[in-house]
Amino acid sequence: MLDTVSNRPDLPTEIARRRTFAIISHPDAGKTTLTEKFLLYGGAIQMAGQVRAKGEARRTRSDFMKMEQDRGISVSASAMSFDFRNFRFNLVDTPGHSDFSEDTYRTLTAVDAAVMVIDGAKGVESQTQKLFEVCRLRDLPILTFCNKMDRESRDTFDIIDEIQENLAIDVTPASWPIGVGRDFMGCYDMLRDRLELMDRADRNKVAESIEINGLDDPKLEQNVPAHLLAKLREEVEMARELLPALNPQAVLEGHMTPIWFGSAINSFGVKELMDGIGTYGPEPQPQKATPRQILPEETKVSGFVFKVQANMDPKHRDRVAFVRLASGHFNRGMKLTHVRSKKPMSITNPVLFLASDRELAEEAWAGDIIGIPNHGQLRIGDTLTEGEALKVTGIPSFAPELLQTVRAGDPLKSKHLEKALMQFAEEGAAKVFKPMIGSGFIVGVVGALQFEVLGSRIELEYGLPVRFEASQFTSARWVHGDKLAVDKLVNANKQHMAEDNDGDVVYLTRLQWDIDRIGRDYPDVTLSATKEMMV
């Protein structure tokens, strides 16, 4: 966490009740299903959709792009706000597919905590590990949900050991599963000594909980078969001796993660997890910025753009900038200064999200995520304030790992193609490079699936069929250094040079040898694989 000073005043009640978090996991661990159940408990939707859709009525709410619904995966982070008990949850569902990891990395800059979803049968998978490292860099508190306990899954102690070893974090069980796979019947709530029983018949029903007094309570024998009860008593005793007890401060500092067990599709264990987020999750945190950090309790409003989504409503060609409010109490119609251009912006129709459904936001507080429709003024990394020149730092942009040239199917429409590509570049969906020699554009992405998404979106949203072709280049590096040194490099290596959509100089490489050669021949110039999203 940032250095929290102990004598900081308590946050205003409205801000203190906010919990802003992202859900991270490997694809298919059940992240989107869990998101649906959160909305179900928050009273936001009456019936949770399944990711594999059965007809129109069962569409999930957080996957709103046509492609997401067809494939049953999330390709774009979506934001949702809803109330649960006396908390206000701002939940960001991130793409699990590694080809969209950049969107996820940026989303993690806008939240105060992460909920890590793990598949009970598979444990910690590669993508979970990658995302976890990003949380670690930012010292984000992490709460863990072990999903799919109603299918054959691994031994509970094995799962906990694996998390501790792979992710180097202390794990403390908040609940303990009773039975596994077909025998899975519920959990023992270790924090509140309750028995939570799952109803397999109705997936949208809230699990019932039975108040008990410790593991010796005779009510346990009435509800749990003898062989499962003996195992439960033995395991819970071992867990209490071997595993650390829950320390709320260690959770907030990101050194310890409480773990809940459950089955999201059966709505089981979700409510306990939500209680846990409310109780142990952090309040809105200070944001790193230059020249000073921004505290959530400041009265002046400030916020930053961490994502831009183009054409959320294809009829209007609109673009929505997702803004995380860092401080203050925002009211609709406020004038905020756009720090990069130094121009005031009147924010007349900000929206709150429930995935692709939106409603006008009359007000919002630090910690909330609002959408600001705009025509291209706002970009990722922009800061909005009430006049002070602050810039929120730490929003990364990564060098693409795959490059292809792109051409319009109809050569007369190359102007339209340029417009479409620029729009996607500003949204952060791809990097677009304009080579200094020759015509056409080179598109760079992190994962191959992004080319497919890009192609289908350009065709759907702009009516432009395009084709991607192999490029001689394999990667790109941003060039930094004083103007003379950079000009010298550019003039001698024109066939490798390009500009990105912000006009920054980029060196396109074919082999690692190209990078080494530049390092040797031009010691005054540095090539970098990341760039801060700031102008």
Side-chain angles (χ1 to χ4, degrees):
M1 303 253 71
L2 297 161
D3 311 328
T4 35
V5 189
S6 50
N7 57 8
R8 264 181 58 204
D10 284 348
L11 289 177
T13 328
E14 264 308 315
I15 295 178
R17 75 183 194 96
R18 282 166 164 66
R19 296 289 179 271
T20 306
F21 59 96
I23 299 195
I24 59 172
S25 80
H26 196 81
D28 253 11
K31 188 170 42 177
T32 302
T33 310
L34 182 64
T35 306
E36 297 288 302
K37 298 299 166 144
F38 276 5
L39 298 181
L40 181 72
Y41 284 122
I45 51 178
Q46 297 312 306
M47 183 174 168
Q50 275 181 299
V51 184
R52 305 263 174 243
K54 294 192 181 115
E56 223 13 75
R58 310 280 298 172
R59 295 276 188 229
T60 62
R61 299 296 285 267
S62 55
D63 288 351
F64 56 86
M65 284 186 180
K66 186 165 178 351
M67 178 157 182
E68 295 181 306
Q69 294 172 352
D70 295 346
R71 289 189 172 219
I73 57 169
S74 306
V75 298
S76 159
S78 56
M80 284 147 271
S81 302
F82 55 94
D83 287 308
F84 174 72
R85 304 237 156 101
N86 50 357
F87 295 107
R88 173 76 169 171
F89 280 2
N90 294 308
L91 155 72
V92 188
D93 176 24
T94 58
H97 202 292
S98 59
D99 287 5
F100 302 96
S101 49
E102 192 168 349
D103 198 13
T104 308
Y105 291 142
R106 280 202 291 266
T107 302
L108 289 174
T109 58
V111 295
D112 300 312
V115 170
M116 177 164 72
V117 184
I118 284 178
D119 181 329
K122 295 178 183 153
V124 178
E125 297 171 86
S126 56
Q127 186 61 16
T128 320
Q129 191 135 2
K130 250 186 172 164
L131 293 169
F132 180 84
E133 321 240 287
V134 180
C135 297
R136 188 29 74 78
L137 286 174
R138 303 186 56 80
D139 281 336
L140 279 183
I142 290 178
L143 304 155
T144 306
F145 183 69
C146 184
N147 192 16
K148 304 193 182 180
M149 294 305 291
D150 57 325
R151 304 194 188 170
E152 285 314 313
S153 57
R154 291 158 49 179
D155 177 68
T156 313
F157 282 107
D158 280 357
I159 294 171
I160 290 179
D161 277 352
E162 181 172 13
I163 298 173
Q164 288 190 334
E165 278 177 28
N166 283 356
L167 307 179
I169 188 169
D170 289 333
V171 181
T172 178
S175 68
W176 199 265
I178 304 171
V180 62
R182 252 181 227 157
D183 296 338
F184 179 69
M185 55 175 300
C187 281
Y188 174 68
D189 183 334
M190 292 179 68
L191 302 177
R192 291 177 303 187
D193 274 334
R194 284 156 93 146
L195 187 62
E196 310 284 349
L197 295 179
M198 180 170 92
D199 181 352
R200 278 180 185 258
D202 180 2
R203 290 188 156 174
N204 284 324
K205 205 174 118 190
V206 177
E208 61 171 325
S209 80
I210 299 165
E211 284 281 354
I212 53 170
N213 199 348
L215 284 166
D216 301 328
D217 193 317
K219 277 194 232 153
L220 270 173
E221 283 154 22
Q222 297 160 22
N223 291 293
V224 181
H227 69 288
L228 291 178
L229 182 55
K231 188 169 183 228
L232 173 71
R233 284 180 172 147
E234 182 194 350
E235 289 189 340
V236 169
E237 202 169 303
M238 279 172 66
R240 283 193 164 143
E241 283 191 12
L242 297 171
L243 297 167
L246 182 69
N247 171 352
Q249 190 52 38
V251 173
L252 289 178
E253 287 167 3
H255 305 318
M256 171 181 274
T257 175
I259 181 167
W260 284 263
F261 292 86
S263 158
I265 200 151
N266 288 306
S267 308
F268 182 75
V270 179
K271 187 162 96 298
E272 290 69 39
L273 172 64
M274 291 171 82
D275 281 333
I277 294 169
T279 313
Y280 303 108
E283 312 176 319
Q285 293 297 312
Q287 288 292 337
K288 287 185 180 146
T290 53
R292 61 176 187 87
Q293 69 172 16
I294 304 172
L295 302 175
E297 66 268 22
E298 289 174 22
T299 48
K300 293 206 160 164
V301 173
S302 62
F304 62 95
V305 180
F306 67 95
K307 174 185 166 62
V308 174
Q309 181 74 46
N311 304 337
M312 273 178 88
D313 182 349
K315 292 193 280 292
H316 293 295
R317 274 273 176 274
D318 68 339
R319 308 168 55 158
V320 175
F322 285 64
V323 174
R324 153 77 197 242
L325 291 179
S327 66
H329 176 202
F330 168 84
N331 286 299
R332 184 158 90 96
M334 271 181 109
K335 267 199 164 52
L336 292 179
T337 304
H338 179 216
V339 175
R340 176 166 55 89
S341 67
K342 302 189 180 58
K343 288 185 180 148
M345 280 181 87
S346 241
I347 299 172
T348 47
N349 49 357
V351 290
L352 279 172
F353 297 103
L354 192 56
S356 62
D357 296 351
R358 358 167 159 175
E359 51 178 83
L360 272 181
E362 289 304 329
E363 58 166 9
W365 295 79
D368 283 339
I369 290 171
I370 56 170
I372 300 182
N374 68 94
H375 291 288
Q377 302 94 315
L378 291 176
R379 296 190 194 169
I380 293 170
D382 278 353
T383 308
L384 295 167
T385 65
E386 282 192 58
E388 193 180 344
L390 292 170
K391 287 186 175 178
V392 171
T393 55
I395 299 178
S397 174
F398 298 95
E401 294 167 22
L402 301 165
L403 298 177
Q404 291 194 351
T405 55
V406 57
R407 304 206 184 287
D410 175 353
L412 297 175
K413 292 205 168 155
S414 54
K415 261 281 169 270
H416 296 283
L417 176 64
E418 180 168 349
K419 198 172 150 198
L421 289 174
M422 285 308 157
Q423 180 123 13
F424 288 119
E426 286 176 21
E427 185 185 309
K431 303 280 179 294
V432 176
F433 303 118
K434 178 96 180 84
M436 292 185 178
I437 291 182
S439 62
F441 290 91
I442 291 180
V443 174
V445 295
V446 179
L449 189 58
Q450 279 178 290
F451 284 125
E452 229 174 289
V453 173
L454 213 57
S456 76
R457 281 186 62 191
I458 292 175
E459 191 157 347
L460 272 172
E461 295 167 20
Y462 292 88
L464 261 185
V466 293
R467 55 174 199 275
F468 290 103
E469 295 161 358
S471 152
Q472 56 166 330
F473 299 113
T474 55
S475 132
R477 293 288 182 269
W478 283 281
V479 179
H480 303 286
D482 68 53
K483 193 172 174 337
L484 284 174
V486 172
D487 288 348
K488 184 177 156 197
L489 168 75
V490 170
N491 292 331
N493 298 277
K494 276 243 159 78
Q495 70 284 10
H496 282 275
M497 305 313 296
E499 284 186 353
D500 70 4
N501 58 300
D502 296 324
D504 291 334
V505 178
V506 174
Y507 178 77
L508 300 173
T509 71
R510 288 173 300 213
L511 312 160
Q512 180 60 38
W513 182 85
D514 288 334
I515 299 176
D516 298 341
R517 179 180 69 87
I518 296 297
R520 201 178 53 237
D521 296 354
Y522 300 90
D524 305 342
V525 172
T526 49
L527 299 182
S528 131
T530 55
K531 144 173 144 168
E532 278 252 336
M533 300 292 275
M534 278 172 51
V535 178

